[in-house]
Amino acid sequence: MAELTSISLNHPVKLQMGTFYVGVWGCQMNVYDADRIRDLMRAAGFVEKTEPQGADVIILVTCAVRAKAEDKVFNQLAAWRHQGVITKDTVVALGGCIGSELADQILKLDATVNIVFGPRTAHRLPNMIARCRTTGDKVVDVEANALEKFDALPEQGQRGASAFVTIMEGCSNKCSYCIVPYTRGEEESRPEQDILDEIVTHVAHGVKEIHLLGQNVNSYRGLTPEGTIGRFSSLLYEIAAIDGVERLRFTTSNPMEFGDDIIQAIADLPIIADSIHIPVQSGSDRILQLMRRNYTSDDYRTLIGKLRQARPNIYISTDIIVGFPGETDADFNETMRLVDDIKFDTSFSFIYSKRPGTPAAEMADEVPLEHKRQHLYTLQARLEEYATQYSQAMYGTRQRVLVEGVSRKNEHELKGRASNNRIVVFAGEPSLIGSLVDVDITQVMSHTLKGQLV
Ligand code: SAH
Ligand code: SF4
Ligand code: F3S
């Protein structure tokens, strides 16, 4: 498979290791890992393909948070095999969160998989591929220190207008339903200077918006250059001081540990975007306790009240799980009451999925699936109502939009995001991609807005 390319007198000879394709499922943390894998593979001499067809190496960075996420990847592998996309010569590397969850079980579940990697071992992929190619053996490598990969990965490549920056790995909260602490391991924060350096590199590449990532960003406790333990709020002030960072987002904030210092930073720093995602999971205190979330629905109401006082224009989105083991109609009504009190913007809601090895998997779960589905429909309809109201209220306003690219539907139009994260489409020249522009909103569709460049 190895071949020589670019043989010319003027250019150095580059060893081509073959082609690769990266597929990604899951949250932004997997998207970040997938981007870093692309940088790594290119640096190792592989050439990227945007389709899996014909790729020598197929790398799948996958999620494990709900059973559906797992089923999807195995169905995809079967379909690719059937279509001849995966042949006996293709090296298939399956990993991300599913890698550490299932480890060597994956090799039994799908015989085409050659390599299993975890969220912490992505940086070893070129090495695993070389081992697999030379020996023909299957490789399972899912364990490493949480921060090892950040030190081992090459410098960030080009990212466009906005870039994700992971500030911490893992999660130690161990909410009773959640598999993430077992797939990504115990929580560990990256040193402050490493994060700032990564952001400076992005800005040098033209990035305007930085999106910080962690399962629980407000519990960030990274080492500072002075040798002290930094807090999330101080990191926000440090980033805001970097020349060229024009917008700052962060995901995910747990309602727990959302201290007044963070609320103060949001009040002080206008570059923090007008939308914050704070998963509440349930409005019933009984269920929150069973979920081990360590806050009550009233704690959540108080937090949102403080945030809205600090930043009246803030848009709050959330995640909600319906049908947690033992959830009654009364519990669900409490969730609906909270939704009406807070009036969330565009949010996510899911039916509870039993994850092996989590404490909730041992709880009796007698609510019929059809009942859970009904609750999900009711909840989603209400969430949709509020999101639509927020969109409609944007009609006639002027929005600062970060231009991300050309619209998929019309090549003469550009698309970007307003500070509250709504997608805005408007007519404009591609030279505006990557910049912040003012757009007047002239038309409101359900989740997208149309506008006119000022
Ligand atoms: N760290 C974030 C959540 C990350 S997982 C936080 O605590 O807020 C993303 C979302 O997936 C969660 O907010 C939750 O709503 C959902 N989720 C996690 N485990 C789930 C499960 N077992 N079943 C259904 N949804 C789940
Ligand atoms: Fe999962 Fe809870 Fe950690 Fe979020 S805070 S990743 S829901 S264990
Ligand atoms: Fe999924 Fe892993 Fe994210 S399990 S939600 S991709 S941390």
Side-chain angles (χ1 to χ4, degrees):
M1 223 179 282
E3 55 184 274
L4 293 176
T5 57
S6 325
I7 301 178
S8 110
L9 291 177
N10 300 326
H11 296 97
V13 173
K14 191 176 179 203
L15 190 63
Q16 187 186 313
M17 305 296 292
T19 55
F20 74 98
Y21 166 80
V22 176
V24 54
W25 287 269
C27 69
Q28 293 102 327
M29 298 203 72
N30 264 10
V31 175
Y32 173 90
D33 287 346
D35 280 342
R36 304 295 315 254
I37 288 171
R38 289 189 182 97
D39 295 338
L40 174 74
M41 292 293 284
R42 285 192 215 108
F46 289 86
V47 174
E48 186 172 10
K49 286 183 79 95
T50 51
E51 296 293 329
Q53 184 85 41
D56 299 317
V57 182
I58 292 183
I59 301 168
L60 301 175
V61 190
T62 62
C63 178
V65 82
R66 286 170 289 277
K68 220 166 151 183
E70 282 175 23
D71 297 346
K72 250 192 211 162
V73 73
F74 289 114
N75 289 339
Q76 182 66 81
L77 284 173
W80 281 340
R81 238 178 357 251
H82 182 70
Q83 295 155 5
V85 171
I86 293 177
T87 68
K88 64 176 182 18
D89 297 322
T90 318
V91 174
V92 178
L94 177 57
C97 292
I98 206 176
S100 37
E101 184 209 358
L102 297 174
D104 46 8
Q105 286 179 55
I106 289 182
L107 302 180
K108 294 184 198 100
L109 290 167
D110 192 305
T112 39
V113 175
N114 307 90
I115 293 170
V116 180
F117 63 98
R120 296 178 172 212
T121 59
H123 58 291
R124 298 186 192 144
L125 265 171
N127 194 288
M128 294 184 219
I129 295 165
R131 258 166 68 196
C132 177
R133 276 175 168 175
T134 44
T135 63
D137 290 344
K138 306 232 173 196
V139 180
V140 178
D141 182 0
V142 293
E143 278 176 37
N145 170 291
L147 303 183
E148 185 185 308
K149 82 171 168 201
F150 297 102
D151 296 330
L153 287 164
E155 200 177 73
Q156 295 270 1
Q158 294 283 349
R159 290 288 184 267
S162 177
F164 290 130
V165 174
T166 295
I167 63 167
M168 60 214 292
E169 259 301 329
C171 181
S172 302
N173 284 340
K174 302 206 168 62
C175 304
S176 64
Y177 51 84
C178 184
I179 201 159
V180 172
Y182 312 98
T183 64
R184 286 194 172 256
E186 291 288 334
E187 185 174 292
E188 213 166 316
S189 299
R190 293 178 70 190
E192 202 179 272
Q193 195 59 48
D194 288 9
I195 295 167
L196 300 177
D197 290 348
E198 199 167 309
I199 294 174
V200 168
T201 308
H202 282 311
V203 172
H205 289 167
V207 168
K208 298 283 188 322
E209 176 186 274
I210 297 296
H211 193 146
L212 306 176
L213 300 178
Q215 287 305 341
N216 189 8
V217 286
N218 32 12
S219 71
Y220 173 82
R221 297 281 183 278
L223 201 63
T224 67
E226 296 77 40
T228 57
I229 300 295
R231 300 182 65 82
F232 184 55
S233 52
S234 5
L235 183 67
L236 292 173
Y237 288 100
E238 294 278 350
I239 297 170
I242 297 177
D243 229 13
V245 178
E246 299 198 26
R247 192 177 273 174
L248 187 54
R249 299 186 189 276
F250 45 84
T251 314
T252 302
S253 302
N254 195 304
M256 213 173 41
E257 287 192 89
F258 204 119
D260 289 346
D261 57 330
I262 304 173
I263 296 176
Q264 190 57 47
I266 292 167
D268 290 344
L269 302 172
I271 71 159
I272 295 178
D274 284 336
S275 75
I276 299 200
H277 188 66
I278 313 179
V280 68
Q281 313 301 357
S282 171
S284 152
D285 290 343
R286 197 180 72 85
I287 296 294
L288 284 172
Q289 201 175 9
L290 289 172
M291 287 177 162
R292 302 196 187 153
R293 289 291 284 186
N294 290 326
Y295 53 84
T296 64
S297 60
D298 277 348
D299 292 339
Y300 191 86
R301 287 181 178 88
T302 306
L303 169 66
I304 304 303
K306 283 189 195 173
L307 270 168
R308 285 184 167 148
Q309 210 166 11
R311 179 79 76 88
N313 201 28
I314 202 126
Y315 291 68
I316 310 288
S317 59
T318 202
D319 290 347
I320 294 172
I321 297 176
V322 299
F324 185 82
E327 185 183 78
T328 62
D329 286 354
D331 293 317
F332 177 71
N333 290 338
E334 285 292 278
T335 297
M336 292 300 283
R337 192 163 70 83
L338 182 77
V339 168
D340 288 334
D341 286 350
I342 304 291
K343 301 185 174 52
F344 290 106
D345 194 14
T346 40
S347 294
F348 300 98
S349 45
F350 319 94
I351 289 184
Y352 165 75
S353 171
K354 182 172 172 169
R355 305 314 290 130
T358 60
E362 308 300 319
M363 298 178 189
D365 181 10
E366 281 144 9
V367 187
L369 185 60
E370 200 37 52
H371 203 74
K372 295 184 182 188
R373 282 204 184 113
Q374 277 308 326
H375 279 167
L376 186 73
Y377 296 145
T378 309
L379 171 65
Q380 290 187 336
R382 189 72 56 87
L383 289 170
E384 187 61 33
E385 255 176 57
Y386 289 119
T388 306
Q389 282 177 20
Y390 284 119
S391 292
Q392 281 164 351
M394 289 173 75
Y395 179 81
T397 61
R398 182 163 290 180
Q399 299 289 328
R400 193 101 180 114
V401 173
L402 178 61
V403 190
E404 290 180 350
V406 174
S407 152
R408 246 185 302 152
K409 290 193 185 137
N410 182 341
E411 59 180 280
H412 302 294
E413 288 184 331
L414 301 174
K415 72 167 167 42
R417 274 176 200 274
S419 181
N420 68 0
N421 218 18
R422 278 290 188 294
I423 295 175
V424 180
V425 176
F426 59 98
E429 293 298 321
S431 59
L432 291 174
I433 294 171
S435 55
L436 278 152
V437 296
D438 284 330
V439 177
D440 286 337
I441 305 302
T442 52
Q443 199 186 338
V444 175
M445 289 155 324
S446 60
H447 289 275
T448 306
L449 307 167
K450 281 219 164 188
Q452 213 160 33
L453 189 65
V454 177

